[in-house]
C-alpha cells in the first residue's frame, strides 16, 4: 500500500443521506473511494446505495479494499426500542440484547456493518442530555447492559449461542460475518458522563481512582465481550483531551487491556484538539491523535491532509501508521467484506416485522417504572365507563426518543396513547384534550382539559419532554416539566376527580409540587415504536410494572449531583446538627432514589444469608468467592416482578469508598404467594477497588464489609462480612 492508501484507510467521511451515488453532495466521498483513499463512510444506508458506493471502492480502486459503513443505530433502525436509559430501568440486560439483535439484523440487510453503540457513559448529571443514551448512574448496572448489547450486535465472543451454520454465512450466525450481525463500538472513552454542569462537550476533572472504579468498568467488560471498536470522547480528562490522551488510549486501552480492535474519533474530534488549546493546528492535531492511539478519523481530514508530511518529518512513525491500518483491515476481514462486499438488495428489510414490533412492545412495558401508586389508583379497570386522556403527549406519535433513524421517525412513528387506551377499553367513552403544548406557556387550553376530566370517571395525564429536549446537545438548566405542563396537572388535581400521570421523558425530572396531588405516577420514558400500546398495557394491568430507576430523581436542580453511590464526608448528614453536610432548605435524599420502583402486587425480601462470615483477602485475590442468598416472596394477590438488589459498603479503606455499591441484581417473576431463593456470588471484583496509581493497582483490603439486600438502594437488611 502507498502512504496515501494507508492514510485513506484511516479516513471516515460522512455521506449526504439526501442523495444517492452520482449526486453533487457525494462527489468527494466517491472520488476518495475511487482513489483508494477512504476507509469508511458513516450515515450511508440502504442496500442499493451502499452497494453502489461499495462497487466504486471494490471495482474501481487500485487495491479493491471494501469500505466499512457505519451508522448511529442507538436503539433501533426501523424498529425503535425504548431509549437506553429506559432499557436500563428494566434491570434485565436481555432487553438490550433483544434490541441489539433486531437492530443488527435490520441494519446489516441494509448495508450497515458497524454501529456507534452502546454508549456506556456513567453519569451523575441529569441535566446532561446524553443521559438518555446511557444506563444511568451506576457502573455495575451499565456494565451488565453494555455486555448484553455488544453480544446482541456481534454475537457472543466464544460463539456460544450462535444461530447459524458453521461458516456463519447463513441467514443467522454467531460471527461478525453473519448476515444478522454488525460490529459494535464502545463509547465514549472516557468519563464523558462527568462533564461539568451537564453541558455537552465540557471539561472533566477526575482522579485515576475515579476513572478506574467509576467510568472504566463498563469499557473493560465490553472489551472482554469482544467489542470490535472504541470511540474517543469529546471531553478533556484532567486537562488532556481524550482524542490526544495517550495514557487512556495507549497505556490503558492498548497495553494494559490488550485491545486489538481500533479506536475511532468522534465527529470532528481530531480537529477539535485545536479548539481545546491542545494542538497548534490541523497537522499538530493529526500527530497528537494518531500517536495517542486514535486509528480512524471521523469527519475531519487532518490525517489525510497532513499525514504524509508528518511521516516524512518523523513526527509520526510508519510503524504506528501500519498498526492503525492493520487494525481497521482486521475488522473488515472479520466482517467478511473481502469475500462478500455487497448485500442482497432483494433481502433488505424495509419495515418492522410483526415479531420485532412485539419485542419492542414487550421491552417498552418491561422498562416502565411505577413511581407512585396511592390507594391503588393503578391499574385502571377496563370496565371504566369514561376516560379522559389529556396532555401534550396523549395524542402524540413523537415518543420514539432521541437518536432515532430518520427513516423510522418518518415512516414508523410511535403509537399514540389515546388510540391505545381506546383499544384497551373498547366500551369506555374516551375523550381527549391537549391542554397545553409541550413547551409553550399558553394555558388557554387547560379549561377544556379540566372539563374533560370533570366528565370522566378517571383521567390519564400524559406529560413530559419532547425527544428533541434530550440527547446530544440538549443540556437543560431546568429539568422540570417544560412549559405549562405543571399547571395542567395542578388544574386536573383541583377537580377532585381520580387521575394518574404518565411521564414520557429522556432524563430524570424534578417533579415539583404536583407530585403530592398525583395519586399515581408511571415513568414510561420515551418508549419507542410501540409507545402507546406498551403504556396502555401497564395502565390497564396487562403488564405488572417491575422496572426500577437506574438513576436518582433530584428534588431540584440545586441538589445536583445527588446519587446513591456517593462517598461519606467527615460530617455526614444529621437532621439535628446544622454543621453536617446538608442544604438548609432540602432533605438529603433524592425525590426518588436509584433502584426505586413499585408494583401492583407486594413483595417481601428476607434477611440475607452468607455462606461464611469471614474470608481471607488473599483467597479472594486468588479467585475465591462467597455466596449470598436471600428469599423473596410475592405477598400480594397477583403475579409480578421484583428486582432483588445487592449492595456492598466497605466500612474503612485506604481510599474512601461509596456508602453503597450495587454488586448484584436479579429480576424475579413470581405468582401470588410464591417464593424463590436468589443467590449471588461475590469475589474480589466486588470487594476490591483501584487506587490512584496510573499504572493500575487493584486492592482487596482486610476489614469489615456490610452487605445489603433489598428492592432499592435504600435496602436495610444487611449482614457483615469480615475480610481477614
Amino acid at each position: 500500500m502507498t502512504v496515501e492508501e494507508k492514510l485513506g484507510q484511516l479516513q471516515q467521511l460522512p455521506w449526504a443521506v439526501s442523495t444517492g451515488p452520482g449526486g453533487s453532495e457525494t462527489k468527494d466521498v466517491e472520488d476518495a473511494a475511487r482513489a483508494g483513499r477512504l476507509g469508511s463512510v458513516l450515515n450511508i444506508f440502504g442496500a442499493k446505495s451502499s452497494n453502489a458506493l461499495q462497487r466504486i471502492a471494490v471495482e474501481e480502486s487500485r487495491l479493491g479494499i471494501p469500505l466499512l459503513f457505519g451508522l448511529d443505530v442507538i436503539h433501533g433502525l426501523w424498529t425503535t426500542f425504548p431509549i437506553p436509559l429506559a432499557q436500563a430501568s428494566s434491570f434485565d440486560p436481555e432487553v438490550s440484547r433483544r434490541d441489539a439483535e433486531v437492530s443488527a439484523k435490520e441494519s446489516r440487510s441494509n448495508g450497515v456493518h458497524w454501529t456507534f453503540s452502546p454508549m456506556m457513559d456513567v453519569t451523575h448529571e441529569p441535566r446532561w442530555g446524553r443521559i438518555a443514551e446511557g444506563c444511568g448512574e451506576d457502573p455495575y448496572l451499565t456494565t451488565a447492559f453494555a455486555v448484553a448489547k455488544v453480544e446482541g450486535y456481534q454475537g457472543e465472543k466464544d460463539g456460544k449461542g450462535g444461530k447459524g451454520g458453521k461458516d456463519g454465512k447463513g441467514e443467522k450466525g454467531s460471527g461478525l460475518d453473519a448476515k444478522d450481525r454488525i460490529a459494535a463500538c464502545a463509547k465514549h472513552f472516557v468519563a464523558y458522563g462527568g462533564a461539568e454542569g451537564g453541558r455537552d462537550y465540557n471539561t472533566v476533572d477526575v482522579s485515576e481512582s475515579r476513572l478506574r472504579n467509576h467510568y472504566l468498568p463498563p469499557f473493560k467488560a465490553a472489551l472482554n465481550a469482544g467489542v470490535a471498536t472504541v470511540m474517543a470522547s469529546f471531553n478533556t480528562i484532567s486537562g488532556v483531551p481524550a482524542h490526544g490522551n495517550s495514557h487512556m488510549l495507549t497505556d490503558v486501552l492498548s497495553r494494559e487491556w490488550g485491545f486489538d480492535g481500533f479506536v475511532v474519533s468522534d465527529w470532528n474530534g481530531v480537529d477539535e484538539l485545536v479548539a481545546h488549546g491542545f494542538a497548534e493546528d490541523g497537522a499538530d492535531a493529526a500527530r497528537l491523535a494518531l500517536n495517542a492511539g486514535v486509528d480512524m478519523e471521523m469527519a475531519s481530514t487532518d490525517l489525510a491532509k497532513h499525514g504524509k508530511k508528518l511521516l516524512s518529518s518523523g513526527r509520526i512513525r510508519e510503524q504506528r501508521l501500519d498498526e492503525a491500518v492493520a487494525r481497521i483491515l482486521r475488522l473488515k476481514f472479520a466482517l467478511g467484506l473481502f469475500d462478500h462486499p455487497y448485500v442482497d438488495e432483494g433481502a433488505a428489510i424495509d419495515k418492522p416485522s410483526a415479531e420485532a414490533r412485539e419485542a419492542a412492545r414487550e421491552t417498552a412495558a418491561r422498562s416502565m417504572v411505577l413511581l407512585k401508586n396511592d390507594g391503588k389508583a393503578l391499574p385502571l379497570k377496563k370496565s371504566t365507563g369514561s376516560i379522559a386522556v389529556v396532555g401534550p403527549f396523549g395524542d402524540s406519535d413523537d415518543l420514539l426518543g432521541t437518536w432515532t433513524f430518520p427513516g423510522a421517525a418518518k415512516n414508523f412513528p410511535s403509537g399514540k396513547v389515546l388510540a391505545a387506551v381506546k383499544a384497551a377499553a373498547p366500551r369506555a367513552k374516551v375523550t381527549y384534550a391537549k391542554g397545553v403544548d409541550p413547551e409553550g406557556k399558553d394555558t388557554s387550553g387547560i379549561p377544556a382539559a379540566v372539563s374533560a376530566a370533570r366528565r370522566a370517571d378517571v383521567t390519564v395525564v400524559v406529560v413530559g419532554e419532547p425527544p428533541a429536549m434530550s440527547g446530544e446537545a440538549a443540556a437543560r438548566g431546568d429539568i422540570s416539566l417544560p412549559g405549562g405542563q405543571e399547571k395542567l396537572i395542578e388544574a386536573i388535581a383541583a377537580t377532585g376527580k381520580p387521575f394518574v400521570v404518565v411521564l414520557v421523558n429522556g432524563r430524570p425530572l424534578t417533579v415539583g409540587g404536583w407530585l403530592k396531588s398525583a395519586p399515581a405516577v408511571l415513568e414510561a420514558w420515551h418508549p419507542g415504536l410501540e409507545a402507546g400500546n406498551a403504556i396502555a398495557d401497564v395502565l390497564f394491568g396487562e403488564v405488572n410494572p417491575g422496572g426500577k430507576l437506574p438513576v436518582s430523581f433530584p428534588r431540584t436542580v440545586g441538589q445536583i449531583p445527588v446519587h446513591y453511590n456517593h462517598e461519606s464526608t467527615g460530617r455526614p448528614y444529621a437532621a439535628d446538627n446544622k454543621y453536617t453536610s446538608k442544604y438548609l432548605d432540602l432533605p438529603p435524599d433524592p425525590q426518588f432514589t436509584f433502584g426505586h420502583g413499585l408494583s401492583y402486587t407486594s413483595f417481601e425480601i428476607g434477611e440475607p444469608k452468607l455462606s461464611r462470615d469471614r474470608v481471607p483477602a488473599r483467597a479472594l485475590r486468588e479467585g475465591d468467592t462467597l455466596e449470598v442468598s436471600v428469599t423473596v416472596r410475592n405477598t400480594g394477590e397477583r403475579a409480578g416482578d421484583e428486582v432483588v438488589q445487592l449492595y456492598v459498603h466497605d466500612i474503612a479503606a485506604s481510599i474512601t469508598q461509596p456508602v453503597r455499591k450495587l454488586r448484584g441484581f436479579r429480576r424475579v417473576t413470581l405468582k401470588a404467594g410464591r417464593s424463590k431463593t436468589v443467590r449471588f456470588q461475590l469475589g474480589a471484583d466486588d470487594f476490591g477497588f483501584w487506587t490512584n496509581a496510573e499504572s493500575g493497582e487493584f486492592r482487596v483490603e482486610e476489614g469489615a464489609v456490610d452487605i445489603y439486600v433489598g428492592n432499592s438502594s435504600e435496602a436495610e437488611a444487611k449482614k457483615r462480612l469480615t475480610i481477614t
Side-chain angles (χ1 to χ4, degrees):
M1 297 177 72
T2 65
V3 170
E4 291 85 356
E5 288 168 334
K6 290 178 182 179
L7 290 168
Q9 287 302 306
L10 275 54
Q11 180 67 65
Q12 182 183 67
L13 292 176
W15 184 254
V17 296
S18 59
T19 63
S24 59
E25 295 179 57
T26 62
K27 184 178 185 300
D28 290 345
V29 177
E30 293 174 49
D31 288 348
R34 190 172 285 111
R37 298 185 181 184
L38 183 61
S40 178
V41 175
L42 75 158
N43 294 341
I44 188 169
F45 62 91
K48 185 176 181 180
S49 294
S50 64
N51 278 349
L53 181 58
Q54 192 73 286
R55 285 192 181 93
I56 294 174
V58 172
E59 300 174 19
E60 298 184 40
S61 70
R62 185 178 77 89
L63 297 178
I65 299 174
L67 297 170
L68 178 64
F69 296 140
L71 187 66
D72 281 296
V73 185
I74 306 303
H75 54 112
L77 188 77
W78 300 123
T79 307
T80 307
F81 283 76
I83 59 172
L85 186 62
Q87 294 182 31
S89 292
S90 71
F91 273 67
D92 177 8
E94 292 305 306
V95 164
S96 280
R97 190 186 302 273
R98 291 182 75 182
D99 162 16
E101 288 175 343
V102 172
S103 298
K105 184 176 181 179
E106 293 180 352
S107 300
R108 192 67 182 258
S109 78
N110 281 280
V112 177
H113 313 126
W114 178 27
T115 177
F116 306 114
S117 172
M119 191 188 98
M120 48 192 72
D121 295 314
V122 182
T123 185
H124 292 156
E125 188 45 88
R127 292 173 295 184
W128 189 45
R130 302 196 80 164
I131 194 172
E133 296 175 54
C135 294
E137 69 187 42
D138 183 78
Y140 185 88
L141 184 69
T142 299
T143 292
F145 278 81
V147 169
K149 204 152 195 183
V150 167
E151 292 178 347
Y153 287 135
Q154 297 188 173
E156 294 186 33
K157 184 178 180 181
D158 60 5
K160 292 181 180 179
K163 303 174 184 177
K166 293 180 180 179
D167 61 359
K169 300 298 190 297
E171 284 301 310
K172 293 184 178 181
S174 59
L176 279 174
D177 59 347
K179 293 183 179 180
D180 62 345
R181 300 295 185 186
I182 55 178
C185 183
K187 69 180 190 184
H188 304 86
F189 198 76
V190 64
Y192 195 16
E196 287 185 358
R199 297 190 302 277
D200 235 336
Y201 323 116
N202 207 7
T203 300
V204 179
D205 192 8
V206 63
S207 66
E208 187 77 14
S209 62
R210 181 62 59 87
L211 275 171
R212 290 180 177 271
N213 292 308
H214 190 70
Y215 293 112
L216 285 176
F219 289 92
K220 181 61 165 65
L223 263 62
N224 291 343
V227 72
T229 65
V230 169
M231 180 183 287
S233 55
F234 281 122
N235 55 282
T236 57
I237 304 166
S238 300
V240 181
H243 282 75
N245 198 307
S246 59
H247 173 54
M248 297 313 306
L249 295 179
T250 298
D251 296 344
V252 175
L253 185 63
S254 180
R255 293 175 183 163
E256 184 180 329
W257 291 358
F259 178 58
D260 61 358
F262 72 80
V263 176
V264 63
S265 82
D266 208 336
W267 183 283
N268 214 43
V270 172
D271 198 58
E272 288 174 12
L273 292 176
V274 179
H276 273 297
F278 190 71
E280 294 182 357
D281 52 27
D284 198 29
R287 173 186 68 86
L288 288 164
L290 184 67
N291 289 340
V294 173
D295 300 301
M296 178 178 283
E297 182 175 3
M298 178 191 290
S300 58
T301 57
D302 290 329
L303 277 164
K305 288 179 180 177
H306 307 291
K308 192 171 184 179
K309 287 185 179 179
L310 290 170
L311 191 64
S312 62
S313 66
R315 288 189 288 171
I316 62 174
R317 293 178 296 110
E318 188 169 7
Q319 180 183 359
R320 172 67 188 109
L321 175 60
D322 288 349
E323 176 191 57
V325 174
R327 287 171 177 260
I328 293 163
L329 292 179
R330 279 201 299 267
L331 179 58
K332 293 183 179 184
F333 275 109
L335 286 161
L337 300 185
F338 284 90
D339 294 327
H340 303 278
Y342 312 119
V343 292
D344 182 352
E345 296 179 19
I349 299 171
D350 60 2
K351 62 182 179 181
S353 67
E355 182 182 14
R357 280 186 172 273
E358 184 60 28
R361 181 171 180 167
E362 289 177 0
T363 56
R366 195 165 178 80
S367 301
M368 294 179 190
V369 184
L370 185 60
L371 297 178
K372 182 181 179 182
N373 195 23
D374 292 351
K376 297 183 178 180
L378 287 173
L380 304 178
K381 295 179 179 179
K382 293 186 177 182
S383 59
T384 301
S386 56
I387 303 170
V389 177
V390 305
F393 299 102
D395 193 32
S396 171
D397 63 2
D398 186 22
L399 300 178
L400 295 179
T402 183
W403 272 121
T404 51
F405 184 53
K410 177 181 178 181
N411 299 309
F412 308 108
S414 59
K416 298 180 178 181
V417 175
L418 177 61
V421 167
K422 289 179 177 179
R427 297 182 181 179
K429 179 181 179 182
V430 181
T431 57
Y432 172 70
K434 187 176 184 180
V436 295
D437 289 327
E439 300 176 64
K441 301 292 186 180
D442 183 5
T443 59
S444 61
I446 290 181
V450 168
S451 178
R454 291 187 186 279
R455 296 194 305 269
D457 295 325
V458 65
T459 298
V460 178
V461 185
V462 191
V463 290
E465 296 177 306
M469 291 188 78
S470 61
E472 186 172 356
R476 293 182 62 195
D478 176 1
I479 56 172
S480 63
L481 287 170
Q485 294 185 67
E486 291 193 4
K487 292 182 178 179
L488 172 64
I489 298 174
E490 292 165 357
I492 298 300
T495 66
K497 298 294 292 291
F499 75 101
V500 300
V501 175
V502 177
L503 294 175
V504 288
N505 43 294
R507 57 159 55 81
L509 300 175
T510 53
V511 292
W514 62 264
L515 178 64
K516 293 181 180 179
S517 65
V521 181
L522 177 68
E523 175 56 84
W525 306 108
H526 287 140
L529 177 64
E530 290 290 324
N533 287 329
I535 289 171
D537 287 343
V538 176
L539 288 178
F540 288 94
E542 289 296 321
V543 173
N544 188 348
K548 304 285 184 176
L549 291 180
V551 62
S552 302
F553 275 47
R555 296 177 183 273
T556 73
V557 291
Q559 197 183 26
I560 297 169
V562 58
H563 46 92
Y564 92 92
N565 49 359
H566 62 87
E567 297 160 6
S568 182
T569 72
R571 294 187 178 185
Y573 172 81
D576 57 352
N577 186 348
K578 177 180 179 180
Y579 297 98
T580 56
S581 184
K582 64 168 65 174
Y583 292 103
L584 291 176
D585 54 350
L586 284 175
D589 55 338
Q591 187 74 67
F592 296 109
T593 191
F594 177 91
H596 169 76
L598 305 176
S599 171
Y600 296 153
T601 188
S602 57
F603 294 92
E604 179 181 271
I605 299 176
E607 294 289 322
K609 297 179 181 179
L610 307 185
S611 59
R612 46 182 161 161
D613 58 12
R614 302 176 72 85
V615 60
R618 180 177 179 180
L620 289 171
R621 288 192 289 265
E622 293 175 352
D624 199 3
T625 63
L626 67 124
E627 182 180 272
V628 181
S629 60
V630 64
T631 299
V632 55
R633 181 182 299 276
N634 184 340
T635 57
E637 299 178 351
R638 60 171 293 171
D641 287 8
E642 180 60 288
V643 179
V644 182
Q645 303 166 45
L646 183 148
Y647 299 84
V648 301
H649 176 216
D650 192 338
I651 305 300
S654 56
I655 293 179
T656 302
Q657 295 300 293
V659 295
R660 294 194 183 184
K661 295 191 301 182
L662 180 70
R663 297 308 303 176
F665 62 89
R666 194 74 47 77
R667 183 161 176 162
V668 179
T669 302
L670 290 173
K671 295 181 180 179
R674 295 294 183 88
S675 64
K676 183 174 183 177
T677 298
V678 178
R679 304 179 189 279
F680 302 96
Q681 295 293 323
L682 301 181
D685 287 347
D686 304 299
F687 300 119
F689 57 88
W690 292 90
T691 71
N692 280 305
E694 286 196 357
S695 59
E697 180 190 20
F698 186 78
R699 291 183 184 173
V700 179
E701 296 183 340
E702 298 176 358
V705 177
D706 282 338
I707 299 174
Y708 295 84
V709 177
N711 63 0
S712 80
S713 57
E714 295 180 335
E716 296 181 356
K718 68 178 180 180
K719 282 289 187 295
R720 179 159 291 186
L721 172 72
T722 301
I723 301 176
T724 61

